[in-house]
Amino acid sequence: MNRREFLASAAAVTTATALPLPWSVAFAQSRSETLLFVSENGPNNLDIHGVGTNRPGYEASWNCYDRLMSYGVKTLPDGSLSYDKDTLVPEMATEWTVAADAITFKLRQDAVFHDGTPVTAHDVKWSFDRAVTVGGFPTFQMKAGSLMEPGQFEVVDDFTFKVKILRPDSLLMPDLAVIVPAIFNSKLVKANATEADPWGLEYTKNTPAGSGAFKVEKWTPGTEVVYVRNEDWKCGPLPQLKKVIWRTIPSAGNRRALIERGDVDLSFDLPAKDVLEMAKAGKVKVASTPISNGMWSVELNVTQPPFDNKLVRQAIAYALPYGKIMDAVMYGRAKPLYGAASNVADSMEWPRPTAYTTDVEKAKALLAEAGYADGFETVISFDLGQALISEPTAVLVQESLAAIGIRSTINKVPGANWRGEIAKKTMPFMINFFSGWLDYPEYFFFWCYHGQNAVFNTMSYQNPDLDAIIDAARAAAAAGDTATYETKIKEMITLGYEEVPRIPLFQPSLEVAMQPTIDGYTYWFHRQLDYRGLKKA
Amino acid sequence: MLRHLGQRLLTTIPTLVGVVVVTFLLTRILPGDPAAFFAGPTADPAAVEQIRVTLGLDKSLPEQFVAYVGDLLVGDLGVALSTGQPVVAEIAARLPASAELTLFGLILSVAVAVPLGILAAVRQGSWIDHLCRLLTTAGVSLPVFFTGLLFVYVFYFLLGVAPAPLGRIDLFASPPPHVTGFYLIDSLIAGDLETFRASFAQLILPGITLALFALAPIARMTRASMLSVLSSEFIRTARASGLAPGTVIVRYAFRNAMLPVITTLGMVFSFLLGANVLVEKVFAWPGIGSFAVEALIQSDYAPVQGFVLTMAILYVLLNLLIDLLYGLIDPRMRIEG
Amino acid sequence: MKTLDTASDTTGAASSLPAAAPRQRPSGFKAGLSHLGHVAGENPVTGFAFALFALIVLTALFGPMLAPYDPLATDTAAALQPPSALHWFGTDQVGRDIFSRVLVATRLDLTIAVASVALVFVMGGLVGIAAGYYGGWTDRIVGRISDTIMAFPLFVLAMGIVAALGNTVTNIVIATAIVNFPLYQRIARAEANVRRNAGFVQAARLTGNSEARILLTQILPNIMPIMMVQMSLTMGYAILNAAGLSFIGLGVTPPTAEWGIMVAEGAAFIISGEWWIALFPGLALMIAVFCFNLVGDGLRDLIDPQRRT
């Protein structure tokens, strides 16, 4: 009996009774092999190399394509699963050898793309060339691992592929296992490329051309993505799920209602409060994983007086209502990044707490010492797209600043404008979140503190001493000099925390709720859902 | 008649031109920078600049306007950055969803408001009149998004009698073959009663939310129009000549009171098409309203311009239709026209 | 020319019924007052509405003095508490007293409502009168402007204006006024048009008054009553509009207490069971809009019971 017949018979039964409720009775059967999940946003592009692909687009790319390597999975102390940044495992490559000047990958010989074409080293080369050439985010991400030019990538034979090393970089191997270096069906994409679009970006935007575990059956932008399993997937054990339906539900309240009533299997990226209450109610399972290399912080633009004054920055660090934010905004579901014994880092823990606590007297004293006993005026800005966390935080911060005489107004910046605004570097006082894919503290500092003044150095903080330490740490990592690396990392954190252009608040968690029938959920660095390991009882 | 139609169409041209110009300027002074937004999380200024060039945003405003109008004339509304699809395709796919919801809400509203209005007029000044006024006024007194969320909470979350607010159709049911784009009609054409029921169930809550908002203008206009007709000479004559009160009200009074009501319906329809942006957001309805709101928030010009233009054309056509209806219902208008 | 008129009539007819003959209205404050008493006595709903209106105005004036708590003071230890003797309407996410916030917000919301109708009255009303009185090109240009605004989906236009100009109270007021412009312009035009050759206008003209003077001293006072009705009806819309803008994040800035933004913030807490955060500001909003609408009806009764809709 197929689904439609089933529906019809179910309907025939129910029409006999009072009001038929087809939506609650009819669909039990097909559901056991289908995962239905909801999130706030859907993809705008199924190819991570595309222009302006959004985060949900990364998820489509992750599940529809394979890479040479992936990360291993480990069990965290609380029993949940997470990717393991220290283990690289085979995906399209079965083995690899690392030499001083190059890495050689042996590819699987039985893998085929979704259209049946065999995967060869030529495809890998073409895909990598594309990533470093198309510009924008993919090219930038490749550069983070010193993967910069097509000349680095070489086809040795059909199933042997070589990456030449331009300069020692400890991030090269990890960077080959992120989403960007995906393997594309070069024949298919080339056939659909045009003169104006030599890399076929328009084609792959709507049609994944990969060899991954899932194929996109139907994509209705802004509404849903329907995937089916790729029965010929070779790069790992066949996923248990035959079908995955991903629906976009903008209203957070509705997403919660859907999971609580059991109408969807999984709800991805929920507010802390919902997860807390659902965990208490016990009807659904929740998974909560600290977002690696990520933190919410208050960021002070040091080019805007009086934030050029370290004493003022420290005064603010002592004025912030940490405990209130943890309670009222995060409901205790985050790692506090304040209140340590000292700002001097004594371990490699990252993100680690600062020594600041809410101490109004000390804040007032510091402010007086800086010559601002009567306070000053400023504007607190935040990203409206993150309002759930940043708005109540801003309200609490505003009140605390008033207690030490700093008068402020709140400036909500619509999500689209946020990136443009931080790039301008004119906002004096921001409440913001940053997380890095590659989980290394120097990676965080390189983007957020280094004098190169990247867009995430929202504070425009430039300190040659700190730059020297960051550069030294990167060099030590590349050279494999663990002792120097660790010393430099500790120095780096200590200096950053003493200077506090960026005042850490807390490390949030990625919160996911699912029905008790769902198993195998794994946290990934990209903070999107991997369907491959999911199981449904 | 045709000449009249042609003349009417000509008078709408300045309006449409005005809409195109205003929308273009309004979207350009939006503070957002789509290039920065779509350049990705780690983009440097060079990457942003590259995207700016790709999007044609590096050109001067007049140049951009000329390019925009040129594209417009060949029916190219640009690409929506938020979904990556051509705006024309997006609107074509989403307009039926919005129209179905709006029409459903409007029909629901008319079904309740017109009888209420007639009753209030016939029993002018009685408690029925006051109750009608209170009820319809209450309908327009709450923000639609609040009513919508409340309905979801009560009827879906607490009572479980309404289907999940997941858009136009249940997740495991497939939409009917595309004919009109209206699921209710398409499923009937396909003879698929199950799908009809499923999509009807999805329509109920958002439909009622919208309908509540339209009650007041329709009921008020019906009442007022009825009152003025009821006090006119020919009704008095009809009554005096001993016709049954029911016949007088329905056959004579109501038919003559219809004209202003139809005008109001036209206005209410276009008003609802705009107002349902919030309802669509609450019920995850894949219509053009929610699409335009998202685009506006993201400073995504093309969909906003496409949406406004579509709505303006709809509005113009609607008024044209009402004009024609007027002519059909009331021959006097035809002579004057 | 005829076609143009029908175009405006089809859309303007909602508020000015066809076939309304020009009518001289008795003026005089005293007469009006006694008439008000009469109408309120006759129609209990209207009496109730006027009383409610007075209450809202009083709350707007004295609300900040009556509030038991500081509407901006947070108290995270007492966050998300249901209504109790201590907090009549409960507390919100950061522990602010909702009763105090609802009370204090009355002033801002009333200000938004009054300011936007005042602005649109000045813009739409005057332009409309001029269009109706002078006719010709003035009329045509003004009519086209109105048509253009009407052709926009109104809420999206308001959104666009606020998004482009920035989300301040002033801009919300401006956006609401622009969106309502065609309505006011058309009513004023229609009313001025039927009066431009009325006896009292011709009399004024014969006694040597300038056109502008006639417009302001003869026409304007005569169409004031119907404009008043429209204004009280639009006040409710202004508040709803602000609430809708808040829902999509374009409303007033936090931590300002305003009903719309409070409902919007509270909406996120409905499913989790903290209904009081959205409900009480929602009720306040509803009562105010309700009241403005009923007052509008009442005013219409006052002016001309025949035309009540």
Side-chain angles (χ1 to χ4, degrees), chain A residues 3-4 7-8 11 15 19-23 27 30-31 34 36 38 41-45 51-54 58 133-137 140-141 143 205-206 218-219 221-224 245 247-251 254 256-258 260-261 263-264 414-417 419-421 447 455-456, chain B residues 30-34 36-44 47 50-51 54-55 79-85 90 94 149 152 156-175 192 194-195 197-198 201-202 280-284 286 294 297-299:
Chain A
R3 210 196 74 249
R4 198 165 282 278
L7 286 182
T15 23
L19 183 75
L21 296 171
W23 50 89
F27 306 107
S30 65
R31 291 197 62 159
T34 303
L36 168 60
V38 290
N41 297 304
N44 64 350
N45 191 321
V51 177
T53 305
N54 60 7
Y58 300 175
T133 316
V134 290
F137 172 65
F140 212 80
Q141 180 64 40
K143 213 187 280 174
K205 177 161 122 187
N206 295 304
K218 184 173 148 219
W219 174 36
T223 306
E224 69 171 356
I245 302 175
R247 275 275 178 131
T248 307
I249 305 292
S251 153
N254 285 354
R256 169 156 175 188
L258 288 165
E260 276 205 84
R261 285 199 54 88
D263 284 326
V264 299
N417 311 354
R419 211 166 274 151
E421 286 296 314
W447 290 120
V455 67
F456 299 116
Chain B
L30 287 177
D33 182 355
F37 185 67
F38 290 101
T42 53
D44 54 358
Q50 195 184 341
I51 288 187
T54 316
L55 300 178
V79 172
L81 298 174
S82 52
T83 58
Q85 304 304 304
E90 282 286 355
R94 288 165 175 273
L149 286 168
V152 170
Y156 168 64
F157 188 70
L158 287 185
L159 303 177
V161 293
L166 282 171
R168 298 181 80 185
I169 197 150
D170 191 276
L171 288 166
F172 288 85
S174 43
D192 186 350
E194 189 52 45
T195 307
R197 196 176 1 238
Q202 296 292 126
E280 286 178 7
K281 202 168 144 74
V282 169
F283 289 94
E294 287 309 308
I297 296 285
Q298 298 183 350
S299 298

Side-chain angles (χ1 to χ4, degrees), chain A residues 473-489:
Chain A
R474 282 162 58 92
D481 179 354
T482 318
T484 315
Y485 174 70
E486 291 194 355
T487 320
K488 289 296 168 192
I489 291 293

Side-chain angles (χ1 to χ4, degrees), chain A residues 260-412:
Chain A
E260 276 205 84
R261 285 199 54 88
D263 284 326
V264 299
D265 295 318
L266 187 146
S267 180
F268 194 73
D269 201 1
L270 290 161
K273 177 170 185 288
D274 286 347
V275 174
L276 178 76
E277 288 167 2
M278 286 194 275
K280 247 185 218 151
K283 274 192 291 186
V284 295
K285 247 185 0 186
V286 299
S288 158
T289 324
I291 293 174
S292 51
N293 210 3
M295 63 165 76
W296 275 91
S297 47
V298 163
E299 292 154 18
L300 305 171
N301 192 330
V302 299
T303 63
Q304 311 254 326
F307 300 124
D308 54 341
N309 188 331
K310 181 168 112 177
L311 294 173
V312 172
R313 300 198 296 264
Q314 288 179 336
I316 290 171
Y318 279 114
L320 293 180
Y322 300 103
K324 282 184 164 191
I325 296 172
M326 274 299 284
D327 291 344
V329 182
M330 298 311 293
Y331 302 88
R333 289 182 77 89
K335 177 185 166 189
L337 294 181
Y338 54 88
S342 161
N343 273 333
V344 178
D346 53 2
S347 72
M348 292 297 286
E349 175 194 8
W350 179 255
R352 61 175 290 119
T354 66
Y356 304 101
T357 51
T358 314
D359 186 341
V360 177
E361 290 315 310
K362 202 161 179 176
K364 276 185 183 162
L366 281 162
L367 212 54
E369 195 188 336
Y372 289 96
D374 298 328
F376 52 88
E377 283 183 19
T378 191
V379 178
I380 303 173
S381 303
F382 66 83
D383 175 1
L384 191 57
Q386 304 261 28
L388 220 51
I389 290 178
S390 37
E391 189 168 322
T393 305
V395 168
L396 291 168
V397 167
Q398 184 187 40
E399 197 184 29
S400 301
L401 291 182
I404 60 166
I406 302 174
R407 298 163 300 278
S408 56
T409 49
I410 291 176
N411 172 31
K412 295 190 278 190

Side-chain angles (χ1 to χ4, degrees), chain B residues 121 124 223-241 243 248-249 251-258 332, chain C residues 17-19 306:
Chain B
Q124 186 191 8
R223 178 182 180 280
S225 183
M226 279 297 282
L227 277 181
S228 75
V229 172
L230 282 177
S231 63
S232 65
E233 302 256 324
F234 79 94
I235 293 292
R236 258 179 269 162
T237 315
R239 280 207 169 120
S241 55
L243 286 172
V248 173
I249 290 165
R251 294 247 331 254
Y252 294 85
F254 180 62
R255 268 182 66 175
N256 282 283
M258 253 168 68
R332 276 172 305 170
Chain C
L17 269 174
Q306 278 273 294

Side-chain angles (χ1 to χ4, degrees), chain B residues 247-267:
Chain B
T247 320
V248 173
I249 290 165
V250 178
R251 294 247 331 254
Y252 294 85
F254 180 62
R255 268 182 66 175
N256 282 283
M258 253 168 68
L259 230 75
V261 176
I262 287 178
T263 310
T264 313
L265 281 189
M267 280 196 20

